[in-house]
Amino acid sequence: MEDIGDYRTVRTWAYSARFEEPGHRYELLREFCERVERNPDEMIEDCLRLVQEGQFKLRGKTRRRYVEQIEEFEGGADGRRRGNVIRSFFIHNGIPIQPPIIT
């Protein structure tokens, strides 16, 4: 995998979220990418289907698969925070992913 900050979707995320220091976020994203064996651009492309020039449709099944993988990634003491970093990456790239509801 190339430098995580060089991916188009990571640059979009950093610009949109106005990160001053994205270091730990990038490390978590890299860890998640390694876990799912996809790079950042591939994950976003997986979630979108081109319906006509410049228009995309969300792939619901694929999005749900990533939601499940993010929930698995949340394991540990900083779990929700870790998951929220990954959700932020998807959201800033146009893929709506909400955290699970706590009951």
Side-chain angles (χ1 to χ4, degrees):
M1 185 182 305
E2 61 188 76
D3 181 41
I4 198 86
D6 291 340
Y7 288 97
R8 176 185 48 81
T9 54
V10 176
R11 289 192 311 267
T12 297
W13 178 38
Y15 177 79
S16 177
R18 299 184 180 145
F19 293 145
E20 289 183 24
E21 185 55 49
H24 77 280
R25 292 177 183 95
Y26 283 9
E27 289 306 314
L28 287 172
L29 181 60
R30 175 183 300 287
E31 184 181 336
F32 183 77
C33 288
E34 290 171 357
R35 180 184 185 106
V36 299
E37 299 178 340
R38 306 292 285 163
N39 73 47
D41 291 351
E42 291 170 336
M43 291 190 304
I44 299 303
E45 290 169 7
D46 287 347
C47 293
L48 299 172
R49 179 173 53 93
L50 181 65
V51 290
Q52 69 182 117
E53 186 64 34
Q55 294 185 343
F56 296 88
K57 183 176 181 179
L58 187 64
R59 292 180 180 204
K61 281 178 131 178
T62 303
R63 185 188 70 83
R64 283 189 296 276
R65 188 181 75 228
Y66 279 113
V67 166
E68 292 169 2
Q69 290 170 326
I70 292 168
E71 289 175 11
E72 291 173 11
F73 183 70
E74 288 185 333
D78 290 340
R80 182 54 59 97
R81 185 184 62 79
R82 289 167 49 90
N84 285 343
V85 168
I86 306 307
R87 287 183 193 91
S88 171
F89 166 75
F90 279 93
I91 290 166
H92 283 278
N93 279 284
I95 310 298
I97 294 185
Q98 296 78 29
I101 296 172
I102 299 174
T103 55

